[in-house]
Amino acid sequence: MLIGILKETAPGETRVALLPESLKSLLAQGIQISVEAGAGVAAGASDEAYAQAGATVTADRAVILANADLLPLVNAPSAGDQAQLKLGAVVIGFLKPLDAPHALDAAIARPATLFSMELVPRISRAQSMDALSSMATIAGYKAVIAAADRLPRLFPMLMTAAGTIPPARVFVIGAGVAGLQAIATARRLGAVVEAYDVRAAAGEQVRSLGAKFLDVDLGGISAEGGGGYAAELTEEALDRGRDLITRTAAHSDVIVTTAQVPGRPAPRLIRRAAIEAMRTGSVLVDLAAPAGGNCELTQPGVEQTIGGVTLLAPLNLPAEVPVHASQLYARNILNFLALIVKKGELQVDLADEVLAGACVAHQGKAVNPRVAKLLEETAAKP
Ligand code: NAD
């Protein structure tokens, strides 16, 4: 069996799916590993390091695509790459099947077996494969660092002979994995932190990090959507959150917003009025930008200054921390591979709930029911 490690081609991508240190257990099973030259350079892994670990390094991407039985990737392969896959190859990565299902048509038709890291079920057995959480942890940290860098103020309270500087006030919206890491990072830097989430369960976690949890009465609506995720709310319930956000924005120096509902556009929670209420120099980091953004003024990927407030809408913060992002991702991938590689052979058993949940397509057919439904619905449109 041959595993291929490709250089990612998405603009700005610096991560790599497997590092040299990840290869030992695979090589020990008699698996061959072929690495595209330069694949790990941005993540601190040289071609020599892969070669020393026992892989073959080649500049010929097409040869890897044509021969690899298994391709762990970070991002979905391009249509051109999909068309070159070996028949029956297994492809694993952040394939975005719920955002752009038809972008995978060529691979499904090939047919290739596709597993999406976003779809790995959030059950305790699969925690070590939870790449969404790994990347959200990095994004939450980096969002606060980016905000601290832009803010024309200090984060910690300082008492000096020249006077006392009050701590920065940070408001975190959405206290999931990224939000909790943002809270922890802002607290370590000395900020006073408030946080809001629609899931009441988040309150205890927020308070345990030394931040204040802001509660909104949703009028009896349950915001729990299963699997720890939030449900999509009604406009009326969203409005209650929007009012709280506008009030809190007025005394916040930094807002880090992370609210998402899986497979849906990000909820629009931050009105123009909230930005206008912030004082000049304040910073808002919209981590929901890849799903459209939580702020109505967000332009994904674009940095703006609105009335003196800096609005950042980064699309790929983990790529700004390529070494550790690749390290965590590679471990998630290795743990996932343990489910489908046995004694050096590929064994895909879709009776396993983790594999069935994560499988986008197998033998030319969509497997995950949400993906299958979406493919059907979108294919029916003229
Ligand atoms: P996510 O990225 O989908 O959403 C981020 C946060 O936004 C969530 O906390 C959500 O409640 C919140 N949100 C959604 N709509 C909102 C709104 N209108 N207003 C305010 N907040 C809103 O979620 P995530 O961070 O990937 O995961 C959420 C939770 O899932 C985690 O905190 C954790 O409890 C749970 N989880 C469980 C497992 C597991 O069991 N293996 C793994 C990871 C996470």
Side-chain angles (χ1 to χ4, degrees):
M1 179 168 93
L2 179 73
I3 294 182
I5 302 174
L6 295 177
K7 188 169 162 57
E8 296 290 321
T9 54
E13 189 54 79
T14 55
R15 294 168 290 175
V16 63
L18 286 176
L19 288 165
E21 69 214 37
S22 327
L23 308 185
K24 203 170 165 192
S25 62
L26 300 168
L27 292 163
Q29 297 179 55
I31 296 168
Q32 288 184 305
I33 299 176
S34 194
V35 181
E36 183 177 358
V41 169
S46 65
D47 293 346
E48 293 73 32
Y50 280 107
Q52 266 169 19
T56 310
V57 179
T58 167
D60 199 338
R61 183 181 182 89
V63 166
I64 299 179
L65 281 165
N67 293 295
D69 302 288
L70 182 54
L71 275 173
L73 298 170
V74 178
N75 301 296
S78 67
D81 282 352
Q82 291 177 36
Q84 296 178 63
L85 290 171
K86 182 173 176 177
L87 298 188
V90 174
V91 178
I92 305 166
F94 284 122
L95 304 183
K96 298 195 175 143
L98 298 176
D99 301 342
H102 288 291
L104 299 168
D105 280 351
I108 296 174
R110 192 81 180 118
T113 297
L114 307 179
F115 288 105
S116 174
M117 293 306 277
E118 295 98 325
L119 297 178
V120 169
R122 284 184 148 179
I123 56 175
S124 34
R125 185 164 74 85
Q127 256 175 12
S128 64
M129 305 158 207
D130 186 354
L132 273 186
S133 289
S134 301
M135 297 304 113
T137 300
I138 292 178
Y141 161 84
K142 197 68 183 173
V144 171
I145 301 299
D149 188 38
R150 301 308 176 89
L151 194 70
R153 296 167 170 274
L154 295 168
F155 261 44
M157 184 174 90
L158 289 186
M159 293 167 93
T160 79
T164 299
I165 301 221
R169 301 195 63 140
V170 174
F171 179 28
V172 175
I173 302 169
V177 181
L180 290 172
Q181 188 54 237
I183 294 169
T185 305
R187 290 281 301 137
R188 278 184 219 121
L189 288 175
V192 170
V193 184
E194 295 177 297
Y196 164 61
D197 196 298
V198 277
R199 291 179 304 110
E204 202 181 312
Q205 290 167 307
V206 166
R207 282 187 288 269
S208 75
L209 291 170
K212 182 176 172 191
F213 188 65
L214 306 177
D215 236 339
V216 169
D217 176 7
L218 293 177
I221 299 169
S222 168
E224 304 281 344
Y229 287 117
E232 201 170 19
L233 298 184
T234 59
E235 269 307 303
E236 192 202 331
L238 284 174
D239 259 342
R240 297 184 185 205
R242 290 180 183 121
D243 292 342
L244 169 98
I245 289 167
T246 306
R247 283 197 304 276
T248 311
H251 62 250
S252 301
D253 298 301
V254 169
I255 298 180
V256 174
T257 184
T258 73
Q260 300 221 38
V261 177
R264 307 289 308 148
R268 285 289 158 106
L269 297 171
I270 306 174
R271 304 180 181 120
R272 174 183 279 277
I275 301 273
E276 286 169 357
M278 295 179 86
R279 65 178 152 194
T280 296
S282 303
V283 182
L284 188 153
V285 186
D286 193 341
L287 282 188
N294 288 144
C295 176
E296 64 183 21
L297 302 180
T298 289
Q299 291 176 30
V302 178
E303 180 176 334
Q304 306 176 70
T305 308
I306 298 160
V309 175
T310 302
L311 171 46
L312 305 177
L315 292 174
N316 190 358
L317 278 183
E320 293 181 25
V321 193
V323 171
H324 283 143
S326 301
Q327 215 172 76
L328 295 182
Y329 186 66
R331 287 192 195 138
N332 294 140
I333 287 279
L334 261 190
N335 290 326
F336 187 88
L337 292 188
L339 298 182
I340 57 170
V341 179
K342 312 269 169 163
K343 294 188 182 144
E345 299 292 332
L346 263 177
Q347 278 180 31
V348 176
D349 174 9
L350 292 180
D352 181 320
E353 67 173 316
V354 175
L355 295 182
C359 189
V360 175
H362 181 57
Q363 295 177 344
K365 291 199 183 70
V367 174
N368 180 290
R370 285 168 72 199
V371 177
K373 190 163 169 257
L374 203 64
L375 281 169
E376 224 176 82
E377 283 169 5
T378 45
K381 279 188 190 157

